[in-house]
Amino acid sequence: MLKYLLLSLIAFSGFACSKVIHEERSLYRNIIVEETSDLRCLKFNTKSSQTSQSCMYKNNPDKLVFNYTKLTFASLLVADNPKNVLIIGLGGGTLSNVIHELYPTAKIHNVEIDPAVTKVARDYFNFIENDLVTSSVQDGRIFIKRAAIKKQKYDWIILDAFNGDYIPEHLLTKEFFEEVQSVLAEGGVIAANTFSSSKLYEHESATYHAVFGDFINVSRENRSNRIILAGLKSMPSEAQINTRVNALAPKLVKYGIDIKAISQFMQFTKNDQDWPADTKVLTDQYSPANLLNF
């Protein structure tokens, strides 16, 4: 009884410290903006879970909160100085803001399916928009299909769409990755935010490999997130990565990114393929994400 009482008190205490400053039902989900002390978070409340999509420190908005966001910048160790960036899935606009600060002359386009999320990013998370940083309300796959028709190319494509439960099924298939590949510029990189703990791990890995060949996994030990870096023609040498680490480290420290440590979490699948060779590839006809991801 004492154990349950203590758990109840802890839960109540945590609840009392949190304050909902915005809540709405969008076309796709319940959206909540919640503050706990110095931390402000965007949350999606779905039937099965409530998950934080983006957070920022109010007194230090430059400093990144989430591990996966920091890991995404491993991209700069394999494809330096991006000129044209595409981000699928906006959240609070954190990635876009940091990339804009780092590369103020780069063009950045954000694609978000939910107009309510875009508005919340503007109103509560300091999402920057200007002539070079733009956004559109559209399904990410439709945007990429149209970009391919227009022969548009991006040298850094970040796949960060999340519906509150998992990555949307139609953004996990071989056909979709082939569409993404068609808009990747020569020498560019795709950075996909996904999970190490999902039952889809092997299927996702096999699907990326089927389209892009060998890729890089970036993840910390015993953490649920991983970043997949795909579309690379070859793995940079250790000397090249060290040179980039030394150049980037002082620029990234203000964001709480330890790029030297992150460089140690990169594993090239050519030497470390961790899924069975006969793993089934996800396709538009075979994409049982809702059955496999938990």
Side-chain angles (χ1 to χ4, degrees):
M1 177 65 72
L2 179 59
K3 175 183 176 183
Y4 292 113
L5 178 60
L6 287 172
L7 288 173
S8 298
L9 288 171
I10 291 169
F12 178 79
S13 174
F15 176 78
C17 292
S18 299
K19 176 184 177 184
V20 174
I21 61 172
H22 178 78
E23 186 171 7
E24 66 176 288
R25 173 68 187 170
S26 77
L27 291 170
Y28 301 95
R29 60 190 55 102
N30 290 319
I31 296 174
I32 298 168
V33 181
E34 187 176 271
E35 289 187 353
T36 306
S37 186
D38 184 39
L39 196 65
R40 176 178 294 175
C41 291
L42 166 65
K43 297 186 175 183
F44 292 166
N45 193 4
T46 66
K47 289 181 180 179
S48 62
S49 64
Q50 183 182 96
T51 54
S52 292
Q53 303 305 303
S54 186
C55 291
M56 75 172 189
Y57 299 108
K58 292 184 294 179
N59 292 327
N60 188 6
D62 285 336
K63 187 177 180 181
L64 297 178
V65 176
F66 288 141
N67 176 55
Y68 89 86
T69 316
K70 299 174 185 179
L71 295 181
T72 303
F73 288 89
S75 306
L76 301 177
L77 298 177
V78 297
D80 200 13
N81 196 27
K83 301 286 196 304
N84 209 6
V85 182
L86 176 63
I87 303 174
I88 305 296
L90 178 65
T94 302
L95 277 168
S96 180
N97 285 358
V98 174
I99 295 168
H100 178 55
E101 281 197 9
L102 287 171
Y103 302 100
T105 62
K107 291 182 180 179
I108 304 170
H109 191 73
N110 295 273
V111 181
E112 169 57 52
I113 195 171
D114 193 340
V117 170
T118 304
K119 187 175 187 303
V120 164
R122 291 168 180 154
D123 293 347
Y124 295 95
F125 292 90
N126 305 332
F127 172 45
I128 298 166
E129 292 174 284
N130 53 40
D131 290 343
L132 291 174
V133 183
T134 55
S135 62
S136 58
V137 176
Q138 197 169 37
D139 178 271
R141 186 160 181 179
I142 292 173
F143 179 90
I144 285 177
K145 282 178 181 287
R146 293 178 177 174
I149 292 169
K150 297 174 187 175
K151 301 192 182 306
Q152 294 173 332
K153 298 286 185 179
Y154 302 90
D155 48 19
W156 190 6
I157 301 174
I158 299 173
L159 304 179
D160 192 26
F162 195 74
N163 61 18
D165 290 321
Y166 204 70
I167 301 162
E169 286 190 17
H170 67 301
L171 305 183
L172 278 174
T173 68
K174 180 175 182 283
E175 292 87 346
F176 172 63
F177 295 151
E178 288 169 344
E179 293 161 3
V180 173
Q181 186 179 48
S182 73
V183 298
L184 182 66
E186 185 72 25
V189 65
I190 297 155
N193 173 31
T194 181
F195 299 87
S196 300
S197 56
S198 165
K199 292 178 183 178
L200 274 176
Y201 180 94
E202 293 176 354
H203 293 276
E204 286 183 65
S205 296
T207 307
Y208 272 95
H209 193 268
V211 176
F212 301 108
D214 292 315
F215 58 86
I216 297 171
N217 274 319
V218 191
S219 69
R220 296 177 188 266
E221 190 175 359
N222 300 323
R223 300 292 183 94
S224 61
N225 285 96
R226 69 163 165 165
I227 298 295
I228 291 174
L229 302 181
L232 305 164
K233 300 302 180 187
S234 62
M235 178 74 171
S237 68
E238 186 175 344
Q240 287 173 317
I241 289 177
N242 288 337
T243 298
R244 289 178 177 174
V245 164
N246 292 333
L248 287 165
K251 299 176 184 178
L252 296 177
V253 68
K254 69 177 286 192
Y255 307 106
I257 301 171
D258 184 346
I259 197 65
K260 184 174 182 180
I262 288 172
S263 71
Q264 305 301 310
F265 305 140
M266 299 166 65
Q267 292 184 313
F268 196 31
T269 59
K270 183 176 182 179
N271 306 317
D272 190 19
Q273 183 169 317
D274 59 354
W275 65 93
D278 61 349
T279 301
K280 197 162 184 177
V281 169
L282 298 172
T283 68
D284 286 345
Q285 286 70 45
Y286 178 78
S287 182
N290 290 335
L291 299 176
L292 293 174
N293 60 20
F294 297 116

Coordinates of all heavy atoms in Angstrom, one line a residue, residues 92-156:
G92 N 8.5 21.2 -33.6 CA 8.5 22.6 -33.1 C 9.4 23.5 -34.0 O 9.6 24.7 -33.7
G93 N 10.0 22.9 -35.0 CA 10.9 23.6 -35.9 C 12.3 23.7 -35.4 O 13.1 24.5 -35.9
T94 N 12.7 22.9 -34.4 CA 14.0 23.0 -33.8 C 15.1 22.7 -34.8 O 16.1 23.5 -34.8 CB 14.1 22.0 -32.6 OG1 13.1 22.3 -31.7 CG2 15.5 22.0 -32.0
L95 N 15.0 21.7 -35.6 CA 16.1 21.3 -36.5 C 16.3 22.4 -37.5 O 17.4 22.8 -37.8 CB 15.8 20.0 -37.2 CG 16.1 18.7 -36.5 CD1 15.5 17.5 -37.2 CD2 17.6 18.5 -36.4
S96 N 15.2 22.9 -38.0 CA 15.2 24.0 -39.0 C 15.9 25.2 -38.5 O 16.8 25.8 -39.1 CB 13.8 24.4 -39.5 OG 13.8 25.4 -40.4
N97 N 15.6 25.6 -37.2 CA 16.2 26.8 -36.6 C 17.7 26.6 -36.5 O 18.5 27.6 -36.8 CB 15.6 27.1 -35.3 CG 14.2 27.7 -35.4 OD1 13.7 27.9 -36.4 ND2 13.5 27.9 -34.2
V98 N 18.2 25.5 -36.0 CA 19.6 25.3 -35.8 C 20.3 25.3 -37.1 O 21.4 25.9 -37.2 CB 19.9 24.0 -35.0 CG1 21.3 23.7 -34.9 CG2 19.3 24.1 -33.6
I99 N 19.8 24.6 -38.1 CA 20.5 24.5 -39.4 C 20.5 25.9 -40.0 O 21.6 26.3 -40.6 CB 19.7 23.6 -40.3 CG1 19.8 22.1 -39.8 CG2 20.3 23.6 -41.7 CD1 18.9 21.1 -40.5
H100 N 19.5 26.7 -39.8 CA 19.5 28.1 -40.4 C 20.6 28.9 -39.7 O 21.3 29.7 -40.3 CB 18.2 28.7 -40.2 CG 18.1 30.1 -40.6 ND1 18.4 30.5 -41.9 CD2 17.7 31.3 -40.0 CE1 18.3 31.8 -42.1 NE2 17.9 32.3 -40.9
E101 N 20.8 28.7 -38.4 CA 21.8 29.5 -37.7 C 23.2 29.0 -38.1 O 24.1 29.9 -38.3 CB 21.7 29.3 -36.2 CG 20.6 30.1 -35.5 CD 20.8 30.2 -34.0 OE1 21.8 29.8 -33.5 OE2 19.9 30.8 -33.3
L102 N 23.4 27.7 -38.3 CA 24.7 27.2 -38.7 C 25.0 27.6 -40.2 O 26.2 27.9 -40.5 CB 24.7 25.7 -38.6 CG 24.7 25.1 -37.2 CD1 24.5 23.6 -37.2 CD2 26.1 25.4 -36.5
Y103 N 24.0 27.6 -41.0 CA 24.2 27.8 -42.5 C 23.2 28.9 -43.0 O 22.2 28.5 -43.6 CB 24.0 26.5 -43.3 CG 25.0 25.4 -42.8 CD1 24.6 24.4 -42.0 CD2 26.3 25.4 -43.3 CE1 25.4 23.4 -41.5 CE2 27.2 24.4 -42.8 CZ 26.8 23.5 -42.0 OH 27.6 22.5 -41.6
P104 N 23.4 30.1 -42.6 CA 22.4 31.2 -42.9 C 22.1 31.4 -44.4 O 21.1 32.1 -44.7 CB 23.0 32.4 -42.2 CG 24.5 32.1 -42.1 CD 24.6 30.6 -41.9
T105 N 23.0 30.9 -45.3 CA 22.7 31.1 -46.7 C 22.0 29.9 -47.3 O 21.7 29.9 -48.5 CB 24.0 31.5 -47.5 OG1 24.9 30.4 -47.4 CG2 24.6 32.7 -46.9
A106 N 21.9 28.8 -46.6 CA 21.3 27.6 -47.1 C 19.7 27.8 -47.2 O 19.1 28.5 -46.4 CB 21.6 26.4 -46.2
K107 N 19.2 27.2 -48.3 CA 17.7 27.1 -48.4 C 17.2 25.9 -47.6 O 17.7 24.8 -47.7 CB 17.3 27.0 -49.9 CG 17.6 28.2 -50.7 CD 17.2 28.0 -52.2 CE 17.5 29.2 -53.0 NZ 17.1 29.0 -54.4
I108 N 16.2 26.2 -46.8 CA 15.6 25.1 -46.0 C 14.1 25.1 -46.2 O 13.4 26.1 -46.1 CB 15.9 25.4 -44.5 CG1 17.4 25.5 -44.2 CG2 15.3 24.2 -43.6 CD1 17.7 26.0 -42.8
H109 N 13.6 23.9 -46.6 CA 12.1 23.8 -46.7 C 11.6 22.8 -45.8 O 12.1 21.6 -45.8 CB 11.8 23.5 -48.2 CG 10.3 23.7 -48.4 ND1 9.7 24.9 -48.5 CD2 9.3 22.7 -48.5 CE1 8.4 24.7 -48.7 NE2 8.1 23.4 -48.7
N110 N 10.6 23.1 -45.0 CA 10.0 22.2 -44.1 C 8.6 21.8 -44.6 O 7.8 22.6 -45.1 CB 9.8 22.9 -42.7 CG 11.1 23.3 -42.1 OD1 11.7 22.5 -41.3 ND2 11.6 24.5 -42.3
V111 N 8.3 20.5 -44.5 CA 7.1 20.0 -45.0 C 6.4 19.4 -43.8 O 6.9 18.5 -43.1 CB 7.2 18.9 -46.1 CG1 5.9 18.4 -46.5 CG2 8.0 19.5 -47.3
E112 N 5.1 19.8 -43.5 CA 4.4 19.3 -42.4 C 2.9 19.1 -42.8 O 2.3 20.0 -43.4 CB 4.4 20.3 -41.2 CG 3.5 20.1 -40.1 CD 3.6 18.7 -39.4 OE1 4.8 18.3 -39.1 OE2 2.6 18.0 -39.3
I113 N 2.4 17.9 -42.5 CA 1.0 17.6 -43.0 C -0.1 18.4 -42.2 O -1.1 18.6 -42.7 CB 0.8 16.1 -42.9 CG1 -0.5 15.7 -43.7 CG2 0.7 15.6 -41.5 CD1 -0.6 14.2 -43.9
D114 N 0.3 18.7 -41.0 CA -0.8 19.3 -40.1 C -0.6 20.8 -39.9 O 0.4 21.2 -39.3 CB -0.6 18.6 -38.7 CG -1.8 18.9 -37.8 OD1 -2.5 19.8 -38.0 OD2 -2.0 18.1 -36.8
P115 N -1.5 21.6 -40.4 CA -1.4 23.0 -40.3 C -1.3 23.5 -38.9 O -0.7 24.5 -38.5 CB -2.6 23.6 -41.1 CG -3.6 22.5 -41.1 CD -2.7 21.2 -41.2
A116 N -2.0 22.8 -38.0 CA -2.0 23.2 -36.6 C -0.6 23.1 -35.9 O -0.2 23.9 -35.1 CB -3.0 22.3 -35.8
V117 N 0.2 22.1 -36.4 CA 1.5 21.9 -35.9 C 2.4 23.1 -36.3 O 3.2 23.6 -35.5 CB 2.1 20.6 -36.3 CG1 3.6 20.5 -36.0 CG2 1.4 19.4 -35.7
T118 N 2.2 23.5 -37.6 CA 3.0 24.6 -38.1 C 2.7 25.9 -37.3 O 3.6 26.7 -36.9 CB 2.7 24.9 -39.6 OG1 3.0 23.7 -40.3 CG2 3.6 26.0 -40.1
K119 N 1.4 26.1 -37.0 CA 1.0 27.3 -36.2 C 1.6 27.3 -34.8 O 2.0 28.3 -34.3 CB -0.5 27.4 -36.2 CG -1.0 28.7 -35.6 CD -2.5 28.9 -35.7 CE -3.0 30.2 -35.2 NZ -2.5 30.6 -33.8
V120 N 1.5 26.1 -34.2 CA 2.1 26.0 -32.8 C 3.6 26.2 -32.8 O 4.1 26.9 -31.9 CB 1.7 24.6 -32.2 CG1 2.6 24.3 -31.0 CG2 0.3 24.5 -31.9
A121 N 4.3 25.7 -33.8 CA 5.7 26.0 -33.9 C 6.0 27.5 -34.0 O 7.0 27.9 -33.4 CB 6.3 25.2 -35.2
R122 N 5.2 28.2 -34.8 CA 5.4 29.6 -34.9 C 5.1 30.3 -33.6 O 5.8 31.2 -33.2 CB 4.5 30.2 -36.0 CG 4.9 29.8 -37.4 CD 3.7 30.1 -38.4 NE 4.1 29.7 -39.8 CZ 3.2 29.4 -40.7 NH1 1.9 29.5 -40.4 NH2 3.6 29.1 -41.9
D123 N 4.0 29.9 -33.0 CA 3.5 30.7 -31.8 C 4.2 30.4 -30.5 O 4.3 31.2 -29.6 CB 2.0 30.4 -31.6 CG 1.1 31.0 -32.7 OD1 1.6 31.8 -33.5 OD2 -0.1 30.6 -32.8
Y124 N 4.7 29.1 -30.4 CA 5.3 28.7 -29.1 C 6.7 28.2 -29.1 O 7.3 28.1 -28.0 CB 4.4 27.6 -28.5 CG 3.0 28.0 -28.2 CD1 2.0 27.8 -29.1 CD2 2.7 28.6 -27.0 CE1 0.7 28.2 -28.8 CE2 1.4 29.0 -26.6 CZ 0.4 28.8 -27.6 OH -0.9 29.2 -27.3
F125 N 7.3 28.0 -30.3 CA 8.7 27.5 -30.3 C 9.6 28.3 -31.2 O 10.7 27.8 -31.6 CB 8.6 26.0 -30.8 CG 7.9 25.1 -29.8 CD1 6.5 24.9 -29.9 CD2 8.6 24.5 -28.8 CE1 5.9 24.1 -29.0 CE2 8.0 23.7 -27.9 CZ 6.6 23.5 -28.0
N126 N 9.3 29.5 -31.4 CA 10.2 30.5 -32.1 C 10.6 30.0 -33.5 O 11.8 30.2 -33.9 CB 11.5 30.7 -31.3 CG 11.2 31.2 -29.9 OD1 10.1 31.9 -29.7 ND2 12.1 30.9 -28.9
F127 N 9.8 29.2 -34.2 CA 10.1 28.7 -35.5 C 10.4 29.9 -36.5 O 9.5 30.7 -36.7 CB 8.9 27.8 -36.0 CG 9.1 27.4 -37.5 CD1 10.3 26.9 -38.0 CD2 8.0 27.5 -38.3 CE1 10.4 26.5 -39.3 CE2 8.1 27.1 -39.6 CZ 9.3 26.6 -40.1
I128 N 11.5 29.9 -37.0 CA 12.0 31.0 -37.9 C 11.6 30.7 -39.4 O 11.8 29.6 -39.9 CB 13.5 31.1 -37.9 CG1 14.0 31.4 -36.5 CG2 14.0 32.1 -38.9 CD1 15.5 31.3 -36.2
E129 N 11.0 31.7 -40.0 CA 10.6 31.6 -41.4 C 11.1 32.9 -42.1 O 10.9 34.0 -41.5 CB 9.2 31.4 -41.7 CG 8.7 30.0 -41.2 CD 7.2 29.9 -41.3 OE1 6.5 30.4 -40.5 OE2 6.7 29.2 -42.3
N130 N 11.7 32.8 -43.2 CA 12.1 34.0 -44.0 C 12.2 33.6 -45.5 O 11.7 32.6 -45.9 CB 13.4 34.6 -43.4 CG 14.5 33.6 -43.3 OD1 14.7 32.7 -44.2 ND2 15.3 33.6 -42.2
D131 N 12.9 34.4 -46.2 CA 13.0 34.1 -47.7 C 13.7 32.8 -47.9 O 13.5 32.2 -49.0 CB 13.8 35.3 -48.4 CG 13.0 36.6 -48.4 OD1 11.8 36.5 -48.2 OD2 13.6 37.6 -48.7
L132 N 14.6 32.4 -47.0 CA 15.4 31.2 -47.2 C 14.8 30.0 -46.5 O 15.1 28.8 -46.8 CB 16.9 31.4 -46.8 CG 17.7 32.3 -47.7 CD1 19.1 32.6 -47.1 CD2 17.9 31.7 -49.1
V133 N 14.1 30.3 -45.4 CA 13.5 29.2 -44.6 C 12.0 29.2 -44.8 O 11.3 30.1 -44.4 CB 13.8 29.4 -43.1 CG1 13.2 28.2 -42.3 CG2 15.3 29.5 -42.9
T134 N 11.5 28.2 -45.5 CA 10.1 28.2 -45.9 C 9.4 26.9 -45.4 O 10.1 26.0 -45.0 CB 10.0 28.3 -47.4 OG1 10.7 27.3 -48.0 CG2 10.5 29.7 -47.9
S135 N 8.1 26.9 -45.5 CA 7.4 25.7 -45.1 C 6.1 25.5 -46.0 O 5.6 26.5 -46.5 CB 7.0 25.8 -43.6 OG 6.1 26.9 -43.4
S136 N 5.7 24.3 -46.1 CA 4.4 24.0 -46.8 C 3.6 23.0 -46.0 O 4.2 22.1 -45.3 CB 4.7 23.6 -48.2 OG 5.5 22.4 -48.2
V137 N 2.3 23.1 -46.1 CA 1.4 22.1 -45.4 C 1.1 21.1 -46.5 O 0.3 21.3 -47.4 CB 0.2 22.8 -44.9 CG1 -0.8 21.8 -44.3 CG2 0.6 23.8 -43.8
Q138 N 1.6 19.9 -46.3 CA 1.4 18.9 -47.3 C 1.9 17.5 -46.8 O 2.8 17.5 -45.9 CB 2.2 19.2 -48.6 CG 1.8 18.5 -49.8 CD 2.4 19.1 -51.1 OE1 3.6 19.5 -51.1 NE2 1.7 19.1 -52.2
D139 N 1.4 16.5 -47.3 CA 1.9 15.1 -47.0 C 3.3 15.0 -47.6 O 3.6 15.4 -48.7 CB 1.0 14.1 -47.6 CG 1.6 12.7 -47.3 OD1 2.4 12.2 -48.2 OD2 1.2 12.1 -46.3
G140 N 4.3 14.5 -46.8 CA 5.7 14.5 -47.2 C 5.9 13.7 -48.5 O 6.7 14.0 -49.3
R141 N 5.2 12.6 -48.6 CA 5.4 11.8 -49.8 C 4.9 12.5 -51.1 O 5.5 12.4 -52.1 CB 4.7 10.4 -49.7 CG 5.0 9.5 -50.8 CD 4.7 8.0 -50.4 NE 5.0 7.1 -51.5 CZ 4.9 5.8 -51.5 NH1 4.5 5.2 -50.4 NH2 5.2 5.1 -52.6
I142 N 3.7 13.2 -51.0 CA 3.2 13.9 -52.1 C 4.2 15.0 -52.5 O 4.5 15.3 -53.7 CB 1.8 14.5 -51.8 CG1 0.8 13.4 -51.7 CG2 1.4 15.5 -52.8 CD1 -0.6 13.8 -51.2
F143 N 4.7 15.7 -51.5 CA 5.7 16.8 -51.7 C 6.9 16.2 -52.5 O 7.3 16.8 -53.5 CB 6.2 17.4 -50.4 CG 7.2 18.5 -50.7 CD1 6.8 19.8 -50.9 CD2 8.6 18.2 -50.8 CE1 7.7 20.9 -51.1 CE2 9.5 19.3 -51.0 CZ 9.0 20.6 -51.2
I144 N 7.4 15.1 -52.1 CA 8.6 14.5 -52.7 C 8.3 14.1 -54.2 O 9.1 14.3 -55.1 CB 9.2 13.4 -51.9 CG1 10.0 14.0 -50.7 CG2 10.2 12.5 -52.7 CD1 10.5 13.1 -49.7
K145 N 7.1 13.5 -54.4 CA 6.7 13.1 -55.7 C 6.7 14.3 -56.7 O 7.2 14.2 -57.8 CB 5.3 12.5 -55.7 CG 5.2 11.0 -55.2 CD 3.8 10.6 -55.2 CE 3.6 9.1 -54.7 NZ 4.1 8.1 -55.7
R146 N 6.2 15.4 -56.2 CA 6.1 16.6 -57.0 C 7.4 17.3 -57.2 O 7.7 17.8 -58.3 CB 5.1 17.6 -56.4 CG 3.7 17.1 -56.4 CD 2.7 18.0 -55.8 NE 1.3 17.5 -55.9 CZ 0.2 18.1 -55.3 NH1 0.4 19.1 -54.6 NH2 -1.0 17.5 -55.5
A147 N 8.3 17.2 -56.1 CA 9.6 17.7 -56.3 C 10.4 16.9 -57.3 O 11.2 17.5 -58.1 CB 10.4 17.6 -54.9
A148 N 10.2 15.6 -57.4 CA 10.9 14.8 -58.4 C 10.4 15.2 -59.8 O 11.2 15.3 -60.7 CB 10.6 13.3 -58.1
I149 N 9.1 15.4 -60.0 CA 8.6 15.9 -61.3 C 9.3 17.2 -61.7 O 9.6 17.4 -62.9 CB 7.1 16.0 -61.2 CG1 6.4 14.6 -61.1 CG2 6.5 16.7 -62.5 CD1 5.0 14.6 -60.8
K150 N 9.5 18.1 -60.7 CA 10.1 19.4 -61.0 C 11.6 19.3 -61.1 O 12.3 20.3 -61.3 CB 9.7 20.4 -59.9 CG 8.2 20.7 -59.8 CD 8.0 21.5 -58.6 CE 6.5 21.7 -58.4 NZ 6.2 22.5 -57.1
K151 N 12.2 18.0 -60.9 CA 13.6 17.8 -60.9 C 14.4 18.6 -59.9 O 15.5 19.1 -60.1 CB 14.2 18.0 -62.3 CG 13.5 17.2 -63.4 CD 14.3 17.2 -64.7 CE 13.6 16.3 -65.7 NZ 13.4 14.9 -65.3
Q152 N 13.7 18.8 -58.7 CA 14.4 19.5 -57.6 C 15.3 18.5 -56.9 O 15.1 17.3 -56.8 CB 13.3 20.1 -56.6 CG 12.5 21.2 -57.2 CD 11.3 21.6 -56.3 OE1 10.8 20.8 -55.5 NE2 10.9 22.8 -56.5
K153 N 16.4 19.1 -56.3 CA 17.4 18.2 -55.7 C 17.8 18.9 -54.3 O 17.8 20.1 -54.2 CB 18.7 18.1 -56.5 CG 18.5 17.4 -57.8 CD 18.3 15.9 -57.7 CE 18.2 15.2 -59.0 NZ 18.1 13.7 -58.9
Y154 N 18.0 18.0 -53.3 CA 18.3 18.5 -52.0 C 19.6 17.7 -51.5 O 19.7 16.5 -51.7 CB 17.2 18.2 -51.0 CG 15.9 18.9 -51.4 CD1 15.0 18.2 -52.2 CD2 15.6 20.2 -51.0 CE1 13.8 18.8 -52.6 CE2 14.4 20.8 -51.4 CZ 13.5 20.1 -52.2 OH 12.4 20.7 -52.6
D155 N 20.5 18.4 -50.9 CA 21.7 17.7 -50.5 C 21.7 17.3 -49.0 O 22.6 16.6 -48.5 CB 23.0 18.6 -50.7 CG 22.9 20.0 -50.3 OD1 22.0 20.3 -49.4 OD2 23.7 20.8 -50.8
W156 N 20.6 17.7 -48.3 CA 20.4 17.1 -47.0 C 18.9 16.9 -46.8 O 18.1 17.9 -46.8 CB 21.0 18.0 -45.9 CG 21.0 17.5 -44.5 CD1 20.7 16.2 -44.1 CD2 21.4 18.2 -43.3 NE1 20.8 16.0 -42.8 CE2 21.3 17.2 -42.2 CE3 21.8 19.5 -43.0 CZ2 21.6 17.6 -40.9 CZ3 22.1 19.8 -41.7 CH2 22.0 18.9 -40.7

